[in-house]
Amino acid sequence: VEKMPSLNLKTQIRLHFRLGMDIPFEEGELSPNSTDMRPEPPNSLDLDGSHPRRIKLTAPNINLSLDQSEGSVLSDDNLESPDEIDINVDDLDTPDEADSFEYTVHEDPAALQDSGQEAESIPEYTAEEEREDNRLWRTVVIGEQEQRIDMKVIEPYKRVISHGGYYGDGLNAIIVFAACFLPDSSRADYHYVMENLFLYVISTLELMVAEDYMIVYLNGATPRRKMPGLGWMKKCYQMIDRRLRKNLKSFIIVHPSWFIRTILAVTRPFISSKFSSKIQYVSTLSELSELIPMECVHIPESIIKLDEELREASETAK
């Protein structure tokens, strides 16, 4: 290409980008196509694991002096009009996406293990954990409906019901209900605990009873805040299976208080006369021993202590 007439700097840049021509610059200025300024394009991607190379577009050497000498950006030749100052970015030759592609080598899992970085694995559900879950929840069928019992929340109160052995001939069970083991009504989840405890008592009763049975209700040493409410007792009676209601031969209340007597008096109109006739009041443990065999009946220490205090008080009164 023959040497073109002298052009101002802006025009030279524009021709260089649009025509891809090597425009000779003034003496002392480097050409944009000079081999000293243009890096060689990559022939292939660097796949050997070394750091990826980046291709840089090198701009031509422009005189940025602030005087108005020839070739300066502030010269009169370069400030002809505002329109000529703008460079059309769409016409610029920019590097291809492939030129700036950065290859990242994935880390070998073996190398991770060598460096102590092991991938987290999902823990297996062991047989012991499965047995533990089964202990936390129990599924029972009450009134032809499947119910789930939260065994964890009632764990401290499971002693409320126990098997006291048998009486008479055959499998006539003695079921002991100790009210002193009931939860305190001041608990925030009191109703939830009592609901699950109710399901536990009913389901346990069905397992313990094979034929006729009696219930021994230990009412002594039970503060008012632990006494079951009228609604809870009524619900228990209504949810008891017909077979259990029929086979109940006696309901013995030991150390009855005025509160429990009042509750039974209020509920009498709502229960059958047959059930009312089965209720018996016993003031001492010695009286209870005259009605049933006591060998297998578990009496809490607090009730034994109360019984001794009542007996001493009775003897002193005489």
Side-chain angles (χ1 to χ4, degrees):
V1 180
E2 294 181 0
K3 182 166 181 163
M4 298 180 66
S6 177
L7 301 174
N8 60 34
L9 179 61
K10 178 175 71 69
T11 305
Q12 293 181 38
I13 295 174
R14 197 176 270 180
L15 287 175
H16 169 70
F17 283 110
R18 291 194 177 185
L19 303 179
M21 299 172 60
D22 287 332
I23 306 301
F25 278 57
E26 298 294 334
E27 187 176 355
E29 295 181 351
L30 292 176
S31 170
N33 292 334
S34 173
T35 57
D36 295 336
M37 300 181 60
R38 176 182 297 175
E40 293 183 1
N43 294 327
S44 62
L45 293 176
D46 185 8
L47 302 178
D48 59 357
S50 61
H51 294 291
R53 296 177 57 189
R54 296 179 181 273
I55 306 304
K56 295 182 179 180
L57 178 65
T58 305
N61 190 10
I62 302 175
N63 184 3
L64 296 179
S65 61
L66 298 180
D67 57 6
Q68 294 188 353
S69 60
E70 184 178 356
S72 171
V73 293
L74 296 181
S75 64
D76 294 335
D77 293 336
N78 292 331
L79 299 175
E80 295 176 0
S81 66
D83 295 335
E84 292 184 359
I85 295 177
D86 296 333
I87 297 177
N88 190 352
V89 179
D90 296 334
D91 292 338
L92 296 179
D93 291 333
T94 57
D96 232 88
E97 288 184 2
D99 294 338
S100 61
F101 178 78
E102 182 175 324
Y103 179 77
T104 303
V105 179
H106 295 283
E107 295 179 334
D108 188 7
L112 288 177
Q113 292 181 359
D114 294 340
S115 62
Q117 299 178 0
E118 297 182 358
E120 294 184 1
S121 59
I122 300 175
E124 294 183 359
Y125 188 59
T126 64
E128 180 62 27
E129 291 174 338
E130 184 176 359
R131 286 193 294 269
E132 182 65 22
D133 285 348
N134 290 336
R135 286 195 293 267
L136 296 179
W137 291 92
R138 177 185 296 179
T139 302
V140 296
V141 177
I142 299 176
E144 299 182 355
Q145 291 185 354
E146 189 175 274
Q147 307 280 352
R148 295 193 72 196
I149 304 175
D150 188 344
M151 299 300 293
K152 183 177 180 180
V153 76
I154 67 169
E155 182 64 32
Y157 313 110
K158 290 168 63 175
R159 293 181 296 171
V160 72
I161 187 171
S162 60
H163 200 294
Y166 300 93
Y167 69 97
D169 299 329
L171 299 177
N172 301 318
I174 300 173
I175 308 301
V176 181
F177 189 94
C180 60
F181 292 132
L182 286 171
D184 197 309
S185 59
S186 62
R187 284 183 58 125
D189 57 349
Y190 175 75
H191 294 290
Y192 176 77
V193 174
M194 289 296 286
E195 180 180 350
N196 282 272
L197 190 60
F198 159 75
L199 296 175
Y200 175 76
V201 169
I202 298 299
S203 60
T204 303
L205 190 62
E206 292 181 350
L207 293 175
M208 290 180 174
V209 174
E211 298 179 2
D212 294 343
Y213 70 103
M214 67 168 55
I215 294 178
V216 177
Y217 185 88
L218 302 177
N219 182 72
T222 305
R224 176 70 179 275
R225 63 181 183 276
K226 286 190 175 184
M227 291 292 253
L230 177 61
W232 191 83
M233 297 184 69
K234 182 180 179 182
K235 185 178 180 181
C236 283
Y237 177 78
Q238 292 175 341
M239 290 296 292
I240 291 178
D241 185 78
R242 183 178 179 276
R243 176 184 69 87
L244 294 177
R245 288 202 299 263
K246 181 180 179 182
N247 292 348
L248 177 64
K249 299 305 178 182
S250 181
F251 190 88
I252 303 174
I253 302 176
V254 184
H255 301 132
S257 62
W258 67 268
F259 179 74
I260 195 69
R261 289 176 182 270
T262 303
I263 287 180
L264 291 175
V266 171
T267 57
R268 191 176 295 273
F270 304 100
I271 58 179
S272 65
S273 57
K274 290 183 178 180
F275 180 79
S276 299
S277 63
K278 298 174 183 179
I279 299 175
Q280 294 179 258
Y281 296 107
V282 173
S283 300
T284 63
L285 293 177
S286 59
E287 292 181 25
L288 179 63
S289 62
E290 296 175 1
L291 298 176
I292 62 172
M294 298 287 290
E295 292 81 6
C296 299
V297 177
H298 174 69
I299 306 296
E301 290 295 330
S302 58
I303 293 181
I304 294 176
K305 184 178 179 180
L306 173 67
D307 188 74
E308 292 176 352
E309 293 174 354
L310 291 176
R311 187 175 64 251
E312 290 176 0
S314 177
E315 292 175 356
T316 302
K318 291 179 180 179

